[in-house]
Amino acid sequence: MSEQAKSIIKKKKRQKFFIIFVQFLIVIGFFLGWEYLAQNKIINSFIFSSPSRIMETLQGLIITGELWEHILTTLYETILAFTIGISAGFVIAIILYEFPILAKIIDPFLTMINSLPKVALGPIIIIWAGANTKSIIVMALLINLIVSIMNIYNGFQGVDEMKIKLLKSFGANKKQILRYLIIPESKRTIISSLKINISMTLIGVIMGEFLVSKKGIGYLIIYGTQVFNLNLVMTGILVLILLSFIIYEIVSFIEKKLST
Amino acid sequence: MNNLLEIHHITKNYITDKEEIKAIKDITLQVHKGEILTLVGSSGCGKSSLLSILAGIDTATSGFFQFHKENPVIGYMLQNDALFPWLTIYQNALLGLKIQKKDTIENQEYVKELFKKYKLEEFMNKKPSELSGGMKQRVALIRTLAIKPDILLLDEPFSALDYQSRLAVSDDVFNIIKKENITTIMVSHDIAEAISMSDRIVVLSKRPCYVKKIYDIHLTNKKNPIENRKAPEFKDYYNQIWKDLDINV
């Protein structure tokens, strides 16, 4: 390797380190600033909480074991809704692709449901599905399923006409076209819809937990608000930020693995 | 001469939401065994529609065609290679066999032989993206030959290539077709390409198309397409067909 290349690589590495360092500083600065403002009574820590109070609350939740219970509940609901959403979305997209008239018929309804703020359906869902985990899953599915169907279906439709013609010239039937061409060609769209889907699912799950739950991070936040324990609310939000970041990174990792 | 295929008064109308478009007015043709027959016409004249009908992808509005062979195998080659990027080129070449459930060891060996014969053997396990445009088109031809077609339908098979590769690949394809002795119907809008490759040329009118004229191409020292372009008769054919096509630029 030439000296010039070496120095460029070195420079790039240094830049990368610098970016991470600044990001770290921002986080530390944010919490230190917050703590400072709270300690000096510049902000009301009853309303805004403070990092030290959050740490105390977190400690309490860890000691009683409650924290894991809440995290696991949310995680379980998210994984369940995500799996159902992706698989059902895939199957429905195939059905729509196979029956174009059906796709045309339900197209405006899909758009309508998609543009509806799903939280508006919350109260009905509770009545229909009951005040339990089922409602939360239904809520999450309402949000992620339509997006999945639309993404995967659009992927199917983007398949090269020429390739379909080729398979037809070999005498391929619909099933073979689907198996040999449509599904493998849309693999990329399906994989990239995973990332959108997981974010949507988490939104749905938290929304569901706001409406009806006795466990979960959404419950932690809404319960904290009801009893005016802002420390609990902030702790919940902080845990949620970390959890969603980790889940997102895991899905990104899976996406990378699958697409190579 | 022995006819492999007879086309009788085929017409084709496309119906859109608003109107009916007549693509083919009336085509009657005999295709001789072993010949390369090229359909020449201005773009959009309906020549590709005829190939789609013969390939069984589309149906004629009226008229019929008849093969003088039971259960003829039809090989169809499209404007671009249509190779599947996620498969190796060997897997691509087996695609037709797989779909027709003729993916036997014997046929696999035949495909491997084709790769060897046409000097693509060392690329067999590569993905299409690692090949040049001309090589990809040759793989597309092998994929078509793999099903051992009785007739080849080539729909402007070189139009996606640049001029240089186009000459080279048309030479290759010509040699392969002649070596395997497969009856071929080609569609082209390139007059020079048609003259250099064909035994006969059918000039089609503008849309809705009908057969305007048929040329038997006799060139002195007929060899391969690139050499054929040097034949003394080449220019006359070119001028004649150009006139027949009545192209207004």
Side-chain angles (χ1 to χ4, degrees), chain A residues 160-173 176-177 179-187, chain B residues 48 52 55 57 74 76 78-86 95-96 98-101 143-144 147 155:
Chain A
D160 185 6
E161 278 293 324
M162 208 64 112
K163 291 186 182 126
I164 296 177
K165 214 171 163 183
L166 173 87
L167 291 189
K168 279 187 182 166
S169 82
F170 286 132
N173 55 32
Q176 285 176 317
I177 294 177
R179 178 177 154 208
Y180 286 107
L181 175 64
I182 310 287
I183 293 173
E185 179 135 305
S186 350
K187 198 175 130 195
Chain B
S48 295
S52 292
I57 297 170
I74 295 159
Y76 189 30
L78 301 147
Q79 280 153 14
N80 68 33
D81 53 70
L83 293 174
F84 292 6
W86 57 89
L95 204 60
K98 273 202 175 137
I99 284 167
Q100 299 182 352
K101 302 204 164 67
R143 179 183 58 197
T144 314
I147 56 169
D155 189 356

Side-chain angles (χ1 to χ4, degrees), chain A residues 238-249:
Chain A
L238 211 66
V239 171
L240 186 59
I241 289 174
L242 283 174
L243 185 71
S244 60
F245 179 71
I246 292 167
I247 292 177
Y248 188 81
E249 286 301 311

Side-chain angles (χ1 to χ4, degrees), chain B residues 116-127:
Chain B
K116 222 181 273 175
K117 212 157 148 190
Y118 302 117
K119 306 200 167 49
L120 284 164
E121 198 189 6
E122 52 180 311
F123 300 99
M124 266 172 52
N125 294 317
K126 293 239 188 304
K127 293 276 167 72

Side-chain angles (χ1 to χ4, degrees), chain B residues 2-19:
Chain B
N2 230 338
N3 284 342
L4 176 70
L5 168 66
E6 283 176 27
I7 301 168
H8 293 281
H9 303 292
I10 279 193
T11 69
K12 176 70 191 172
N13 301 343
Y14 287 102
I15 297 161
T16 67
D17 287 344
K18 286 182 192 147
E19 55 182 342

Side-chain angles (χ1 to χ4, degrees), chain A residues 73-254:
Chain A
T73 305
T74 302
L75 207 58
Y76 163 74
E77 289 158 352
T78 306
I79 292 170
L80 190 64
F82 175 71
T83 317
I84 299 174
I86 282 286
S87 346
F90 184 66
V91 172
I92 294 171
I94 287 178
I95 294 170
L96 292 184
Y97 184 78
E98 288 294 306
F99 303 101
I101 291 184
L102 180 68
K104 274 190 189 141
I105 291 171
I106 72 161
D107 178 63
F109 303 113
L110 276 184
T111 317
M112 237 187 271
I113 299 173
N114 194 35
S115 49
L116 174 79
K118 258 66 76 178
V119 72
L121 300 175
I124 310 174
I125 295 172
I126 296 170
I127 294 169
W128 287 348
N132 51 39
T133 313
K134 243 195 272 172
S135 281
I136 298 169
I137 303 295
V138 172
M139 192 74 212
L141 280 178
L142 265 180
I143 293 180
N144 75 10
L145 186 59
I146 307 284
V147 179
S148 285
I149 295 172
M150 284 179 151
N151 267 323
I152 298 172
Y153 179 66
N154 285 338
F156 287 174
Q157 283 204 309
V159 168
D160 185 6
E161 278 293 324
M162 208 64 112
K163 291 186 182 126
I164 296 177
K165 214 171 163 183
L166 173 87
L167 291 189
K168 279 187 182 166
S169 82
F170 286 132
N173 55 32
K174 272 197 152 185
K175 225 163 103 191
Q176 285 176 317
I177 294 177
L178 205 61
R179 178 177 154 208
Y180 286 107
L181 175 64
I182 310 287
I183 293 173
E185 179 135 305
S186 350
K187 198 175 130 195
R188 209 169 288 260
T189 351
I190 295 169
I191 292 170
S192 69
S193 78
L194 294 183
K195 231 153 78 177
I196 308 165
N197 195 293
I198 194 73
S199 313
M200 292 289 172
T201 309
L202 203 57
I203 294 173
V205 165
I206 296 300
M207 231 150 73
E209 286 181 350
F210 276 5
L211 291 169
V212 43
S213 67
K214 292 189 180 67
K215 266 186 236 164
I217 300 168
Y219 166 77
L220 212 59
I221 295 169
I222 206 78
Y223 174 76
T225 319
Q226 281 159 1
V227 298
F228 230 80
N229 181 353
L230 269 296
N231 298 330
L232 198 58
V233 176
M234 291 299 188
T235 309
I237 292 172
L238 211 66
V239 171
L240 186 59
I241 289 174
L242 283 174
L243 185 71
S244 60
F245 179 71
I246 292 167
I247 292 177
Y248 188 81
E249 286 301 311
I250 290 172
V251 174
S252 300
F253 177 76
I254 294 171

